[in-house]
Amino acid sequence: MKLDAGKITVEMQDNYRYAFLPLILCAIFVVIVLFAIYFLFRKKPEKKIEIDGEKAWRALTEQEKYNLKMKYFAMLDELDVKVQTGQISIRYCYQKLSKYVREFVSEITGVKVSRCTLNDIRYMNMPMLAGLMEEYYAVEFAKVSMGDAQAAIGRTKRVIEVWN
């Protein structure tokens, strides 16, 4: 076989054609380094501390505890009058009850339960508060709010009375 020098052509490869693989490897390396830096220096989420909510009294004197309970009894009595006179709806009454009992527990224990979900409250071992919240939610979020507001106010007062 004879080769004619005029019929053989040589094509040159494109510049950087073989640099494609090293570029991909460099990109992967940069991504790995960035992830490593992120995981080393990111803020670690705080672990939840289990709180026995019904025993988590702040350093309140007996007189301060009594005054706090009386403050919330007065608020509940005012709410009861508004319900009896028809000034507020049942749904609104239950929303207020939820707010008041959460504020009471926050003030008396120092635990900000106003920002907690029902599951958080259960986790913190506050069964009395969790029971009330379940009752309130059933009326607050129902399509038609049916509930006994005066009985709920009474139960809320009992929880506040025995909280210690």
Side-chain angles (χ1 to χ4, degrees), residues 86-144:
Q87 294 177 12
I88 61 173
S89 68
I90 291 175
R91 183 185 309 265
Y92 185 73
C93 174
Y94 275 82
Q95 288 170 346
K96 283 298 203 182
L97 285 172
S98 178
K99 178 183 176 199
Y100 291 163
V101 76
R102 284 173 179 259
E103 286 174 358
F104 168 76
V105 173
S106 293
E107 284 188 55
I108 206 150
T109 65
V111 178
K112 301 286 184 199
V113 294
S114 58
R115 299 179 189 156
C116 296
T117 65
L118 182 56
N119 285 332
D120 292 337
I121 292 169
R122 286 184 186 128
Y123 178 78
M124 291 187 290
N125 191 26
M126 295 186 184
M128 291 189 297
L129 179 59
L132 285 176
M133 299 311 298
E134 285 178 20
E135 177 186 349
Y136 299 158
Y137 286 176
V139 177
E140 283 182 71
F141 299 112
K143 288 184 179 181
V144 178

